[in-house]
Amino acid sequence: MSTIIKREEQFCAHNYHPLPVVLVKGEGPLVWDENGREYIDMMSAYSAVSHGHRHPKIVKALEEQLSRLAIVSRSYYSDTLANFLQYACELLGYDKGLPMNTGAEAVETALKLARKWGYKVKKVPADKAEIIACRNNFHGRTIAIVGMSTEEQYRDGFGPFPAGFNIVPYGDIDALEKAITPNTVAFIVEPIQGEAGIMIPPAGYLKKCAELCKRHNVLLIADEIQTGLGRTGKRLACDHEGVSPDILVLGKALGGGVLPISLVLADNTIMSVLHPGDHGSTFGGYALAAAVGLAALKTLEEEKLAERAVVLGERLMKGLKTISHPAIRDIRGKGLMIGIEIDPKIIHGHDLAEKFLQHGILTKETHHVVIRLAPPLVISEELIDRAIEITKKVFSEVQ
Ligand SMILES: *Cc1c(COP(=O)(O)O)cnc(C)c1O
């Protein structure tokens, strides 16, 4: 075993179970390990690397900003934050953005914003606000967020959890309608459930959710941390159904593959409930992040990465569907967010991910049964074809 792996195992908390590879370099859709071996990154750090590793435009923005100013805190204005937020708001159709760093922080921000809107605008009685979330959701790892989780492992040992969260089955519009009460302030949903195993709701679900929420004066919060910014073949996954959520949460790819950057977007009627001191983050919207976030959004548009995800996603899906193997139960996805569901009685997801690794593909299983194929959106046709060939070879070795 590599001594690096040994030392990481010794000094790093065991809250992950990494595959046995030590990565030392990345470029575009490729990464290399400590022995110089090349891999196709079909994992993209859960979509954080949608632009590919070290995209030249993003590295340039980072370096230019780093040579001037990195962090001042929101106690002052910086000359980059307005540029970033104006671009984001105009591109995505919102009045204001609230910058944070990680996805979980942005989700927490959205929940706080919705609650405060509930009390100040909807006039829900004090401490009675309810937020509805979906079964098998993944919105991050804070205590409030795992309090909304239905995944036993994410909750076990971390209670007690805040009150005021209700769960409905994902994709079930009637259940949502039944769960709404006069105190419901928001419904939070992922357009496609990524961590649950690339679960796609019935067509029209989001649109119906939006109509229902509007009818009951409930805010629709779309967590597009993983599905957003081109991943599913549209700028936002909500765009597939022409839905504009009341609160939009972005993260992962917004950092251009180089920094953690997240953002909550909403109109003034909602965002104006927050006043100085109500909420904050030391690093949220720091000058360097603003410069990188702007470059990440501009690059997405200039290089038409969402359109690429459509074409390359279709190519990948078509290639994968030619593979027939008893271990494969389903292949599903949208754009370049694709999951292969396997029969864990034939092969365990972690073992399959190790086989992919041996053949030069980085991927990871979720819930032991779904292997995710979600490469950087800048990947080439040739590499997609190579990934398909490798996948065939991997399954040919599964007995
Ligand atoms: C990754 C993810 C988060 C959490 O983001 P972090 O940056 O890990 O805190 C939240 N929601 C969704 C849908 C995600 O995929």
Side-chain angles (χ1 to χ4, degrees):
M1 201 204 301
S2 156
T3 60
I4 293 175
I5 293 181
K6 266 201 201 122
R7 281 190 297 120
E8 188 170 312
E9 290 295 323
Q10 182 179 350
F11 292 110
C12 184
H14 289 184
N15 58 328
Y16 278 86
H17 179 25
L19 291 164
V21 62
V22 179
L23 301 170
V24 298
K25 184 179 153 71
E27 189 174 318
L30 297 172
V31 291
W32 289 267
D33 72 11
E34 55 183 341
N35 305 313
R37 192 164 173 225
E38 181 182 290
Y39 301 85
I40 311 174
D41 185 356
M42 298 296 281
M43 177 63 190
S44 312
Y46 303 88
S47 274
V49 188
S50 284
H51 298 77
H53 295 273
R54 297 185 300 113
H55 190 293
K57 287 181 187 165
I58 290 164
V59 170
K60 183 161 173 277
L62 179 80
E63 286 177 348
E64 273 178 15
Q65 187 58 41
L66 195 54
S67 71
R68 283 201 298 122
L69 180 70
I71 299 172
V72 289
S73 89
R74 295 274 311 280
S75 297
Y76 313 96
Y77 295 91
S78 77
D79 66 349
T80 57
L81 186 55
N83 293 343
F84 170 43
L85 295 183
Q86 182 177 357
Y87 190 86
C89 285
E90 289 175 358
L91 182 71
L92 300 164
Y94 290 91
D95 291 339
K96 281 188 171 59
L98 197 167
M100 299 294 282
N101 309 286
T102 65
E105 287 175 318
V107 169
E108 282 275 339
T109 300
L111 299 177
K112 287 175 74 176
L113 184 59
R115 279 186 169 184
K116 187 133 199 211
W117 171 88
Y119 297 123
K120 302 295 167 184
V121 179
K122 187 169 174 172
K123 307 286 184 204
V124 168
D127 290 339
K128 295 288 181 216
E130 293 167 17
I131 291 174
I132 301 172
C134 290
R135 191 173 294 155
N136 299 328
N137 70 70
F138 183 83
H139 298 294
R141 300 289 200 157
T142 66
I143 284 181
I145 293 171
V146 297
M148 302 193 286
S149 177
T150 55
E151 188 62 34
E152 200 35 54
Q153 193 194 355
Y154 297 170
R155 301 166 57 87
D156 182 35
F158 300 122
F161 302 109
F165 296 99
N166 296 313
I167 298 295
V168 295
Y170 186 59
D172 184 341
I173 195 76
D174 296 330
L176 175 61
E177 178 142 42
K178 281 198 196 96
I180 292 174
T181 76
N183 293 336
T184 304
V185 297
F187 170 55
I188 181 165
V189 66
E190 300 156 86
I192 293 175
Q193 288 186 329
E195 296 316 294
I198 322 284
M199 306 307 284
I200 304 170
Y205 174 62
L206 274 187
K207 202 175 175 62
K208 285 185 197 146
C209 290
E211 286 162 5
L212 196 57
C213 285
K214 200 174 170 62
R215 193 152 14 100
H216 292 275
N217 197 23
V218 166
L219 300 179
L220 176 66
I221 305 174
D223 178 349
E224 291 239 26
I225 291 168
Q226 190 162 153
T227 54
L229 306 183
R231 173 58 54 190
T232 70
K234 296 268 189 197
R235 193 180 286 141
L236 300 175
C238 283
D239 293 342
H240 288 288
E241 298 194 353
V243 166
S244 175
D246 300 296
I247 301 179
L248 173 65
V249 188
L250 297 175
K252 292 194 169 128
L254 187 60
V258 297
L259 291 178
I261 305 174
S262 62
L263 184 61
V264 177
L265 291 145
D267 281 344
N268 285 329
T269 48
I270 299 165
M271 206 65 103
S272 62
V273 301
L274 293 183
H275 302 289
D278 285 352
H279 183 62
S281 159
T282 304
F283 289 97
Y286 62 108
L288 194 59
V292 166
L294 177 62
L297 290 175
K298 280 191 170 163
T299 302
L300 183 81
E301 295 304 303
E302 285 164 11
E303 303 194 352
K304 300 192 174 358
L305 294 183
E307 286 91 330
R308 281 189 71 80
V310 176
V311 176
L312 295 168
E314 276 169 8
R315 192 180 182 103
L316 178 56
M317 186 63 103
K318 200 168 147 225
L320 294 175
K321 292 248 169 159
T322 64
I323 308 172
S324 119
H325 189 282
I328 298 178
R329 281 179 170 165
D330 189 23
I331 302 175
R332 57 178 174 263
K334 226 174 205 171
L336 278 174
M337 187 173 182
I338 293 178
I340 305 177
E341 186 176 326
I342 53 165
D343 183 345
K345 289 198 289 296
I346 298 177
I347 186 162
H348 189 281
H350 192 83
D351 299 335
L352 191 58
E354 279 205 30
K355 268 194 186 299
F356 271 98
L357 182 71
Q358 285 155 12
H359 288 282
I361 281 186
L362 293 190
T363 179
K364 182 86 177 159
E365 94 282 6
T366 171
H367 292 281
H368 314 310
V369 295
V370 178
I371 284 282
R372 170 193 328 246
L373 294 176
L377 310 183
V378 296
I379 193 170
S380 65
E381 270 86 354
E382 292 71 36
L383 280 179
I384 288 281
D385 294 346
R386 205 208 293 175
I388 294 165
E389 288 314 308
I390 293 174
T391 305
K392 283 182 187 159
K393 199 188 268 164
V394 164
F395 276 101
S396 76
E397 292 175 7
V398 174
Q399 300 301 317

